[in-house]
Amino acid sequence: MPSTSRLIQPIGGTLVNLIVAEEAQPDLRARATYLPSLQLSERALYDLELMAIGGFSPLDRFMNRADYERVLAEMRLDGGQLFPILVMLLVERNADVRLDREVALRDARNELLGIMTVEEAYEWDCAETAQQVLGTRDVRHPLVAEMQRWGAVALSGRLQMLALPAHHDFSDLRLTPAETRARLGALGASRVVAFQTRNPLHRAHEELTKRAAAAIDGVLLLHPVVGMTKPGDVDYYTRVRAYKVLVDRYYERGHVLLALLPLAMRLAGPREAVWHALIRRNYGASHFIVGRDHASPGLDSAGKPFYGPYDAQELVARFQEELGIGMLPFGEMMYLPDEDRYEEVSRIPRMVRTASISGTQVREEFLNAGQKLPDWFTRPEVAQILMDSYPPRHRQGVCVWFTGLSGAGKSTTAETLTTLLLERGRQVTVLDGDVVRTHLSKGLGFSKEDRDTNIRRIGFVTAEIVRHGGVVVAAAVSPYRATRDEVRHMVGEDRFVEVFVDTPLDVCERRDSKGVYAKARRGEITGFTGIDDPYEAPENPEITLDTVVSTPEQNARRVLEHLERQGFVR
Ligand code: ADP
Ligand code: ADP
């Protein structure tokens, strides 16, 4: 045996490996062409991948009913092994599967991943599951919210894997449990402490991980999650670029291994911490760091934390023996400005000055403001990577959406606003309803359906432009409230400025610059907004403009001032 055998044994003694031997693959592939298919959700794909490579050992299939019940009640598989989190394959009641038959498992692009023999199908209880595993039914919990959309039936049965879900990024860092063990073995390590993270590493984390490795006189397995984390987290591409720089420049060579974990987190706090420890044991770690608020989903709808800050440490401690992987508990690391060093909160005397910066502050006071994070808080290379990915507000995208009756003054005001924005150095795309209908929406008419299609198209393009940091000025009647709200969600609540051009119908009709009202009154145009089709005024627009008392320029400046206050214009 190579030196890897000095590492701690995986759970159950061996690593699960569900990939079928190469010789058997052609036959299975041929068979799959005759089978019904299931297209797996993102979460199921990550679960399947980790199961296939042994990350969830001893689990070798999606859970059956007996597993499900025992995991809920006791955090154990039916066979008795500790396993605190559900791993289920969920389908709708009408799914094309039959008991004792095979089904092909496919990814989002319909690539074949494997074949499952459906040995069991059972219904599960959403509310009960949420309560037992997550300790809450509050839909503010991201997983509880997601669970509402899961299928009603869970499938279980033997898995034969032909391929793993494809990842083309950071291939050199995507190590299976066996590969991770081999690499750790090559470092000559018998003691390994794993660090789980879904956040950028700041100096507090660097300090904590170095202390942990020193405490066991072993090496660090830096094991960030690159599957699903909490919505709104820093994207993993940015994070991994930063981890790489840190490992290169700030950790001692040969004492750290960076590897990416394709885990779909549940944000289940204490139960998730036990799960994380168990997974890291499979990857060869002998120790696992559990800090404050491990795998925390944030605040519930009453504004209270879902779990106590040290609940996770308590639960891991309770199962310490059985887990067979040692926990290194840590409190919060605080910076001591007078001594220029970090210390754990429990070891800081009362009157000593401390400093820290919260995640919200990082985003709002530093990144959004274009301020570089201080060196005591983050290594300068990491600060730069974060700034590159999260530019300041005045370089982020935003949409100004003018809505109102035909002739209200949307286009005129939008045009003036556009020149003011260009003057201030922003790049602007104008999406004017009348103009869009000559290309992007050519051929669409004014039925409710066509108008919604028109607005959704404008919304789609807007969302893309905003995502890439551009300013969109859209001007369309957009008469229906629900459709406008849909666009608001597509673009993102905090980057959507709805401007209601509130010109009374009689004023629009008197202006009638396009002659359309006259036609509508004569009945030559039907279903005309304000005449014989409704205009649903916004209930809470960011801005309401009056075009009777104010000029287009005055109104455009009001919108500009709003954008300035929000930081979108310097
Ligand atoms: P919409 O795009 O809302 O259909 P337009 O901007 O094309 O409306 O037309 C509005 C008409 O009203 C233009 O002829 C414009 O010059 C005139 N108008 C008069 N006063 C104002 C004002 N205060 N704001 C905007 N437009 C005004
Ligand atoms: P929508 O938001 O309904 O797609 P647009 O801003 O794209 O509206 O286009 C509205 C313009 O089309 C109006 O300014 C008007 O000149 C013209 N128009 C033609 N038929 C109608 C109609 N039935 N209702 C409203 N506007 C119409």
Side-chain angles (χ1 to χ4, degrees):
M1 281 297 277
S3 55
T4 55
S5 59
R6 289 168 56 207
L7 293 166
I8 187 172
Q9 288 299 302
I11 300 187
T14 45
L15 285 170
V16 167
N17 178 4
L18 300 177
I19 317 267
V20 299
E22 207 141 321
E23 316 82 76
Q25 292 217 1
D27 274 358
L28 276 181
R29 283 189 181 276
R31 208 155 88 217
T33 62
Y34 295 97
L35 297 177
S37 291
L38 278 182
Q39 209 175 37
L40 268 51
S41 68
E42 189 187 4
R43 183 173 298 282
L45 285 169
Y46 283 119
D47 284 355
L48 183 66
E49 178 175 1
L50 271 187
M51 205 153 34
I53 59 180
F56 290 163
S57 295
L59 194 68
D60 64 355
R61 61 192 59 207
F62 289 103
M63 292 179 174
N64 63 23
R65 178 170 203 110
D67 292 324
Y68 165 72
E69 284 172 354
R70 215 165 157 195
V71 168
L72 279 199
E74 301 173 53
M75 312 206 307
R76 286 179 194 286
L77 300 176
D78 188 39
Q81 308 94 327
L82 192 59
F83 207 100
I85 294 289
L86 290 168
V87 178
M88 296 197 294
L89 180 62
L90 301 160
V91 297
E92 300 299 337
R93 282 202 184 83
N94 61 4
D96 186 15
V97 289
R98 281 208 258 150
L99 270 183
D100 302 320
R101 299 283 174 84
E102 291 182 329
V103 60
L105 303 182
R106 297 181 184 275
D107 69 9
R109 279 168 295 130
N110 282 317
E111 290 291 327
L112 179 65
L113 300 175
I115 293 178
M116 172 169 164
T117 313
V118 183
E119 293 163 29
E120 222 186 300
Y122 59 99
E123 306 226 342
W124 64 290
D125 183 331
C126 181
E128 167 84 0
T129 301
Q131 189 64 51
Q132 299 267 21
V133 179
L134 305 172
T136 179
R137 294 176 192 191
D138 190 337
V139 291
R140 196 63 66 81
H141 190 295
L143 196 74
V144 178
E146 187 191 301
M147 282 167 70
Q148 313 301 314
R149 302 190 301 270
W150 288 356
V153 176
L155 305 179
S156 178
R158 177 176 179 226
L159 291 169
Q160 292 169 279
M161 294 294 291
L162 293 157
L164 295 174
H167 302 292
H168 304 293
D169 49 14
F170 304 118
S171 328
D172 54 328
L173 299 177
R174 292 181 177 271
L175 307 181
T176 64
E179 287 164 348
T180 308
R181 287 171 165 275
R183 294 277 282 272
L184 290 169
L187 292 178
S190 58
R191 291 169 150 246
V192 175
V193 58
F195 184 64
Q196 138 84 29
T197 182
R198 43 169 261 257
N199 285 310
L201 289 193
H202 300 300
R203 292 201 52 183
H205 307 104
E206 182 187 325
E207 183 68 26
L208 178 156
T209 50
K210 285 179 174 168
R211 283 187 187 200
I216 59 159
D217 188 24
V219 308
L220 173 70
L221 171 60
L222 190 55
H223 216 198
V225 172
V226 296
M228 295 167 78
T229 65
K230 195 174 144 192
D233 279 347
V234 172
D235 70 278
Y236 80 77
Y237 297 100
T238 301
R239 286 190 285 118
V240 176
R241 285 200 298 277
Y243 302 140
K244 283 173 73 159
V245 174
L246 280 177
V247 165
D248 250 22
R249 307 213 181 147
Y250 295 100
Y251 285 84
E252 208 183 326
R253 200 170 290 276
H255 287 259
V256 59
L257 176 65
L258 171 62
L260 310 184
L261 183 69
L263 177 72
M265 290 182 68
R266 271 59 166 176
L267 300 160
R271 273 198 188 218
E272 179 132 354
V274 172
W275 193 42
H276 286 173
L278 188 149
I279 294 166
R280 270 45 178 240
R281 176 170 163 184
N282 288 330
Y283 277 85
S286 58
H287 291 79
F288 182 61
I289 297 171
V290 184
R292 191 175 186 271
D293 282 330
H294 192 98
S296 158
L299 302 179
D300 66 15
S301 48
K304 291 213 236 25
F306 281 99
Y307 313 111
Y310 298 108
D311 288 2
Q313 292 181 359
E314 276 169 35
L315 195 69
V316 175
R318 181 132 58 92
F319 290 97
Q320 177 80 86
E321 193 93 347
E322 190 177 348
L323 272 168
I325 169 168
M327 172 175 60
L328 295 181
F330 275 88
E332 200 176 346
M333 281 288 186
M334 301 281 255
Y335 181 64
L336 310 182
D338 299 322
E339 301 168 43
D340 186 26
R341 68 181 185 93
Y342 277 85
E343 188 51 270
E344 210 185 327
V345 82
S346 62
R347 299 170 60 170
I348 302 173
R350 267 169 152 259
M351 302 304 282
V352 171
R353 244 175 15 120
T354 62
S356 66
I357 300 177
S358 74
T360 314
Q361 284 175 307
V362 168
R363 260 193 321 276
E364 279 163 23
E365 289 172 29
F366 290 91
L367 297 177
N368 279 347
Q371 291 286 331
K372 193 156 188 189
L373 288 157
D375 284 359
W376 66 262
F377 180 74
T378 297
R379 297 293 184 183
E381 296 90 336
V382 174
Q384 190 58 51
I385 289 171
L386 290 174
M387 284 180 98
D388 291 344
S389 290
Y390 297 88
R393 266 287 156 116
H394 67 269
R395 278 176 33 221
Q396 291 175 19
V398 63
C399 162
V400 179
W401 187 279
F402 288 94
T403 172
L405 295 170
S406 173
K410 301 181 296 297
S411 308
T412 308
T413 314
E415 209 178 281
T416 313
L417 174 65
T418 300
T419 59
L420 295 180
L421 286 166
L422 289 169
E423 182 188 338
R424 302 292 281 272
R426 296 246 34 180
Q427 300 294 314
V428 188
T429 299
V430 181
L431 296 172
D432 188 288
D434 286 309
V435 181
V436 166
R437 281 174 174 278
T438 66
H439 43 78
L440 182 66
S441 290
K442 193 169 175 177
L444 291 181
F446 287 90
S447 66
K448 172 153 194 344
E449 202 179 24
D450 277 7
R451 301 185 84 155
D452 280 346
T453 304
N454 178 38
I455 297 307
R456 288 198 188 101
R457 283 187 195 170
I458 300 177
F460 173 81
V461 175
T462 298
E464 282 301 304
I465 294 170
V466 167
R467 209 159 61 81
H468 290 286
V471 180
V472 172
V473 175
V477 175
S478 45
Y480 309 121
R481 196 177 291 138
T483 324
R484 288 193 306 264
D485 286 346
E486 223 178 278
V487 175
R488 178 185 286 272
H489 282 116
M490 285 164 80
V491 174
E493 184 78 39
D494 55 340
R495 329 192 145 250
F496 190 78
V497 181
E498 189 173 29
V499 181
F500 176 27
V501 185
D502 186 12
T503 309
L505 177 65
D506 60 299
V507 176
C508 296
E509 202 165 350
R510 235 175 298 133
R511 286 181 190 160
D512 204 8
S513 44
K514 305 171 207 166
V516 282
Y517 282 97
K519 287 203 176 88
R521 288 293 182 196
R522 290 197 300 267
E524 290 163 29
I525 311 178
T526 56
F528 196 87
T529 305
I531 306 293
D532 53 353
D533 203 64
Y535 176 78
E536 300 169 4
E539 277 169 342
N540 284 307
E542 276 72 12
I543 301 172
T544 300
L545 298 180
D546 181 320
T547 67
V548 177
V549 295
S550 310
T551 66
E553 170 149 355
Q554 285 171 328
N555 281 335
R557 289 204 180 275
R558 265 194 67 198
V559 179
L560 185 70
E561 279 159 23
H562 178 89
L563 294 174
E564 274 173 349
R565 275 196 302 278
Q566 304 268 307
F568 289 114
V569 177
R570 255 207 294 213

